[in-house]
Amino acid sequence: MNVSADARRGGPDAGAMGDTRDNTARKSKTNKVFFTPDRIAYVLVFVLAVALYYRSLYYVAVWDDHALMTGEALGGGTFWGALTKPFLGQYYRPLTSLSYWFDFQNFRSNIFLWHQSSILLHAFGAMVAGMLGKAVSGNKWVGVLAAAAFAVQPSQVAAAAWVGGRTDVLSALVVPLFLLLTVKFFQTDKGRYLVGATLVLYVAAMVKEQNLAILLAVPALQAAFGTPTRKRLAVTATALAVPTIVFIATWLQYRQYASTTFPPSIVEGIARVGGCAANYFFLLVAPTSAPQATISLANFESIGWIAFGMAVLVGSLVAVWLVYKKDKVLAAVGACALALYFPVSNAIPMPSLLVGPYRVATVGALLAVLAAMLVERQWANKRPAVAVAVGVVIAFWAWATHRDMDVWKTEAGFFQAVAKHDPHSIIGQLNVVSSLIADRRFEEAFSASEAYLGWLMEGSDWRASLDAGKGLTMNARQSRRLEYNTGVRILDTKYLSGVVCNRATAMSGLGQTKQAKACFESALQIDPKCAPALFALGDIATPTDKELAVRLFKKAIAVRGVMAEYAHLGAILKDLGRYEEAAEAYRGALKRGDWLGDLWVDLAESEDMAGKSLLAQEAIAAAEGKLIANKDRFKEIKDRISRKSATLKSKG
């Protein structure tokens, strides 16, 4: 299909529906009617986007949400920390961090309002996708359809329904906005659009560094919508280079990427790219439930899946090239989608999980625009069957989104879905077994741990090694399976030691204390900083070797520093008569949650035994009204402190 330059700019040759748009626009200007039919349609799409995700307002914290809601993942929860510290300890994404920081400061633990922020951002993203669709097609109804397609697209679910997907819901808003301003500049040659595009590009990079990949598609946009003169190319390149260079300089100053696992060979690298493409095909184009709960590439290791994924990827590249000869506008939008897919394709090794259902939300925005343009093109070319088919696909997207959204409803539900659809995911296995342990279902937890380690360590005598406290030695095949799960070498030991630690905890719950101790020691062989293993071994050592227990608890605190570690350390130090140190440990526990009255009682007793009467009185007073399990002990210590205080006053 040949599309004239006038049509590409939204002129009179934009098609029959475009003529209707122009006539309506002229009448609107004359009559000064604000709520034109297309604007009313946009309002309805906004309402649709919110209504579709309404039930996610009641979803609980899942996965990374906990660290976000405490401020731990945001540089400690301060404005400057959010702006300069690595997001989630790995990524320099300051504007994403600041959006979370705003919620942290205003909403704290009210996750309903955190979800509200994400849903509203998603709805505004639909509006921007619609404006982009209108700009590239010259047809206001294409814009409305693009907005609706974006609103219901399954690739937006993990970004919009999960608080932790904020990076991608923001990206799906700002990247299309950058494209909109860039297209407007090429269409009109007005400098204000280029200035706007330059500023928004910097914002997009500060939201997610991978968004800079959209620059790869700018030449295609210029060829489709502008006149590619040398002067214009130079002006555009210079303007967009400024925010890129500034961001890179800032990123080099503050970034802290996790160590990346590079594939051992080119063949392995191609396998990752192919497996990744196969997974995202079933999220973006033909959505099934599995990709919403897939966080590893373990399901896509076979040659068949890798070949399928590579065929999808190569086929997409060829399709864009072939379409470019007939329809530069459609090809340019396709090029934008491919450019945004590039940084999450594993063509460049990922610094975190190899796949995630939230990662392609921005690609989905461009696919929504493509789908709307295809409907308009096929209808104008008198191919209503094709247009209807694309419309049916969009309707199917809406149904799939409704079907799969609840995977993010609860943490247990999410990881159970991961265990079902991605059974070899080490993160899914860790969390499912942890929930079984929390429910004291130790036999099931032990069986699940055994099954997973049996798959991962197939072909080796791993049980004997673990039960001897020697850790695990992995061959190339086993290491590859682990890398397909995470892709981050620095985290591989953390996850693997966690699986071993869960097995040990289940054994301990079954009364197999000696075997559990050896298994915890194996976890430390795998990862010397495995805090759960340090804590468990400290607990095991407490009855027989309190000094060893003190050392182990201190190591656990240095790595993780949770309330239970401080509380156990305080109890042992108090038993050893080291009361000032015990009081310091209890204060550390209370900093992580001051609601537990028994800890205030322990602190009061330690301060009292250390001869610090005033501090003991303050601590026992703070225990009043708190949750206290042993009320008799509270009364006994309170009376003792009161008597000592009265005695000191009488002497004074």
Side-chain angles (χ1 to χ4, degrees), residues 77-89:
T78 65
F79 176 84
W80 187 246
L83 195 61
T84 60
K85 298 295 183 181
F87 171 60
L88 285 171

Side-chain angles (χ1 to χ4, degrees), residues 40-86:
I40 293 172
Y42 273 112
V43 172
L44 293 175
V45 169
F46 189 93
V47 172
L48 169 66
V50 173
L52 187 61
Y53 283 87
Y54 175 77
R55 70 180 191 268
S56 72
L57 289 168
Y58 299 95
Y59 292 176
V60 301
V62 174
W63 206 1
D64 292 335
D65 295 353
H66 303 286
L68 293 166
M69 295 178 69
T70 61
E72 178 188 345
L74 311 173
T78 65
F79 176 84
W80 187 246
L83 195 61
T84 60
K85 298 295 183 181

Side-chain angles (χ1 to χ4, degrees), residues 162-215:
W162 176 44
V163 168
R166 181 75 58 81
T167 302
D168 297 282
V169 82
L170 279 170
S171 294
L173 170 64
V174 296
V175 172
L177 181 58
F178 164 75
L179 293 173
L180 171 64
L181 293 168
T182 303
V183 167
K184 285 286 189 181
F185 169 66
F186 289 144
Q187 288 175 335
T188 65
D189 210 23
K190 292 180 179 179
R192 66 174 182 267
Y193 289 121
L194 182 59
V195 172
T198 300
L199 294 174
V200 174
L201 178 64
Y202 185 68
V203 169
M206 295 284 273
V207 165
K208 185 180 183 181
E209 69 293 329
Q210 294 169 343
N211 289 335
L212 285 175
I214 194 60
L215 291 173

Side-chain angles (χ1 to χ4, degrees), residues 517-534:
K517 181 175 181 291
C519 201
F520 281 125
E521 289 170 348
S522 286
L524 286 181
Q525 289 291 323
I526 296 167
D527 179 10
K529 293 183 178 181
C530 180
L534 290 165

Side-chain angles (χ1 to χ4, degrees), residues 265-346:
S265 66
I266 294 175
V267 173
E268 181 76 15
I270 293 172
R272 287 188 185 182
V273 172
C276 187
N279 174 70
Y280 287 137
F281 173 84
F282 291 106
L283 181 63
L284 289 164
V285 182
T288 62
S289 297
Q292 294 288 358
T294 296
I295 52 178
S296 82
L297 283 177
N299 286 339
F300 299 97
E301 289 183 285
S302 70
I303 293 176
W305 280 122
I306 293 167
F308 173 77
M310 291 304 298
V312 168
L313 195 56
V314 173
S316 299
L317 289 166
V318 171
V320 167
W321 174 252
L322 293 176
V323 170
Y324 180 80
K325 297 178 180 179
K326 297 181 178 180
D327 191 336
K328 289 185 178 180
V329 174
L330 204 61
V333 176
C336 290
L338 288 172
L340 289 168
Y341 178 71
F342 173 71
V344 298
S345 67
N346 287 293

Side-chain angles (χ1 to χ4, degrees), residues 27-49:
K27 289 178 182 177
S28 291
K29 189 175 287 187
T30 303
N31 300 328
K32 295 184 178 180
V33 176
F34 180 79
F35 284 108
T36 56
D38 57 308
R39 287 177 176 172
I40 293 172
Y42 273 112
V43 172
L44 293 175
V45 169
F46 189 93
V47 172
L48 169 66

Side-chain angles (χ1 to χ4, degrees), residues 546-576:
K546 286 184 170 54
E547 292 294 345
L548 173 60
V550 167
R551 292 195 297 273
L552 289 167
F553 284 135
K554 285 184 175 180
K555 286 182 179 180
I557 287 169
V559 174
R560 186 172 58 173
V562 298
M563 180 193 288
E565 292 159 356
Y566 280 100
H568 279 243
L569 176 61
I572 297 175
L573 291 170
K574 188 171 62 173
D575 288 346
L576 291 171

Side-chain angles (χ1 to χ4, degrees), residues 270-596:
I270 293 172
R272 287 188 185 182
V273 172
C276 187
N279 174 70
Y280 287 137
F281 173 84
F282 291 106
L283 181 63
L284 289 164
V285 182
T288 62
S289 297
Q292 294 288 358
T294 296
I295 52 178
S296 82
L297 283 177
N299 286 339
F300 299 97
E301 289 183 285
S302 70
I303 293 176
W305 280 122
I306 293 167
F308 173 77
M310 291 304 298
V312 168
L313 195 56
V314 173
S316 299
L317 289 166
V318 171
V320 167
W321 174 252
L322 293 176
V323 170
Y324 180 80
K325 297 178 180 179
K326 297 181 178 180
D327 191 336
K328 289 185 178 180
V329 174
L330 204 61
V333 176
C336 290
L338 288 172
L340 289 168
Y341 178 71
F342 173 71
V344 298
S345 67
N346 287 293
I348 299 175
M350 296 291 291
S352 57
L353 299 177
L354 297 179
V355 292
Y358 38 84
R359 284 217 178 111
V360 288
T362 314
V363 179
L366 274 298
L367 286 186
V369 175
L370 275 175
M373 292 176 68
L374 281 171
V375 169
E376 186 259 347
R377 296 286 204 269
Q378 298 307 314
W379 194 272
N381 284 341
K382 302 185 186 300
R383 295 174 186 162
V386 179
V388 169
V390 177
V392 169
V393 169
I394 295 173
F396 176 70
W397 286 354
W399 176 80
T401 293
H402 178 78
R403 176 195 64 194
D404 297 330
M405 193 183 305
D406 281 348
V407 75
W408 294 99
K409 186 174 183 178
T410 65
E411 189 158 67
F414 173 69
F415 286 112
Q416 284 169 5
V418 172
K420 175 183 176 181
H421 296 295
D422 191 9
H424 295 145
S425 163
I426 195 167
I427 293 177
Q429 200 274 348
L430 268 172
N431 283 275
V432 167
V433 173
S434 294
S435 66
L436 291 172
I437 290 171
D439 292 339
R440 304 189 66 79
R441 293 157 63 182
F442 297 117
E443 287 189 12
E444 293 174 70
F446 180 72
S447 297
S449 298
E450 288 273 298
Y452 188 82
L453 286 166
W455 167 78
L456 181 65
M457 302 300 296
E458 183 182 5
S460 65
D461 191 7
W462 56 272
R463 283 191 187 85
S465 182
L466 289 182
D467 294 341
K470 295 180 179 179
L472 291 172
T473 302
M474 306 184 80
N475 59 32
R477 176 179 171 77
Q478 293 158 353
S479 295
R480 181 177 181 274
R481 284 182 169 178
L482 193 59
E483 288 176 9
Y484 253 83
N485 265 274
T486 59
V488 190
R489 189 171 298 283
I490 198 171
L491 295 180
D492 288 346
T493 55
K494 170 187 169 183
Y495 291 138
L496 184 57
S497 64
V499 171
V500 173
C501 204
N502 273 347
R503 177 178 183 265
T505 304
M507 294 170 81
S508 180
L510 293 171
Q512 303 172 18
T513 306
K514 184 177 179 181
Q515 297 94 321
K517 181 175 181 291
C519 201
F520 281 125
E521 289 170 348
S522 286
L524 286 181
Q525 289 291 323
I526 296 167
D527 179 10
K529 293 183 178 181
C530 180
L534 290 165
F535 177 77
L537 288 171
D539 207 26
I540 292 170
T542 297
T544 57
D545 192 343
K546 286 184 170 54
E547 292 294 345
L548 173 60
V550 167
R551 292 195 297 273
L552 289 167
F553 284 135
K554 285 184 175 180
K555 286 182 179 180
I557 287 169
V559 174
R560 186 172 58 173
V562 298
M563 180 193 288
E565 292 159 356
Y566 280 100
H568 279 243
L569 176 61
I572 297 175
L573 291 170
K574 188 171 62 173
D575 288 346
L576 291 171
R578 294 156 62 176
Y579 300 115
E580 290 190 7
E581 292 179 70
E584 184 65 29
Y586 285 127
R587 279 193 288 271
L590 288 164
K591 284 180 181 178
R592 284 142 185 87
D594 62 358
W595 50 270
L596 197 58

